[in-house]
Amino acid sequence: MTVNNAQGGVLDISAGTGLTAGTLRSTTGKLDVDTATGALKITSATAKTDLTAQAVSGALNVSTITAGTASLKSGADMTLTTVTATGFLSTNSKAAASLGNLTAGGQLTADATGAMTVTSAKGTVLDLSAGTGLSAGTLTSTTGKIDVDPHAGGLKNPSATAKTALTAQ
């Protein structure tokens, strides 16, 4: 399915096999986008409140997201360029994750079963976990701790500023 442009108070878009979206905008409420199989590709998504994007068994590729809260899930690789949430921000990839610039006004949680690369991440508290190594640029917690767990593969290149505590395993 291809959606070039969709705008409304609340958006709920679901596809069985793959979804490519241009600009999605929820003006007063939530935005929910998912695909059961295949890739989910979004150029730009804006939600006044909650944004949920899920590729159940495929890859998730998003250029820009702006939302109140954001929950992003993929059954395969995840690629994000810029995600900004005024509240919490959560990502979960069942494979590798290439996460660009993530900013949350609340807690930021990012999980990947494969390798993870993060350009920058900022939130009140950061919790990052990767199955086979984590490469990070700038990590900033504004009010709490930073917890980084790269499992196998180690932690590479982090610059971290934590308001309270920093834990790297």
Side-chain angles (χ1 to χ4, degrees):
M1 173 190 288
T2 300
V3 178
N4 292 326
N5 188 354
Q7 180 172 315
V10 174
L11 294 180
D12 189 352
I13 301 170
S14 186
T17 308
L19 175 62
T20 300
T23 302
L24 305 177
R25 186 164 186 253
S26 144
T27 55
T28 60
K30 70 177 187 167
L31 192 158
D32 187 8
V33 184
D34 67 85
T35 181
T37 61
L40 174 56
K41 298 177 183 179
I42 303 170
T43 302
S44 175
T46 303
K48 185 73 171 179
T49 59
D50 305 333
L51 185 141
T52 303
Q54 181 174 10
V56 175
S57 64
L60 176 64
N61 187 322
V62 179
S63 293
T64 305
I65 286 180
T66 304
T69 65
S71 176
L72 311 171
K73 297 179 183 178
S74 68
D77 291 346
M78 178 182 290
T79 304
L80 308 175
T81 304
T82 303
V83 179
T84 304
T86 55
F88 79 84
L89 168 56
S90 171
T91 72
N92 187 310
S93 171
K94 297 302 180 196
S98 176
L99 311 177
N101 299 302
L102 308 178
T103 305
Q107 181 168 340
L108 191 154
T109 303
D111 295 304
T113 57
M116 180 187 294
T117 302
V118 181
T119 304
S120 71
K122 181 178 182 179
T124 57
V125 173
L126 301 185
D127 186 357
L128 308 177
S129 176
T132 58
L134 197 152
S135 178
T138 303
L139 306 177
T140 307
S141 77
T142 56
T143 62
K145 68 177 184 168
I146 296 175
D147 187 11
V148 180
D149 190 354
H151 296 287
L155 177 62
K156 299 176 185 137
N157 306 320
S159 169
T161 304
K163 186 70 173 179
T164 59
L166 171 64
T167 305
Q169 300 177 5

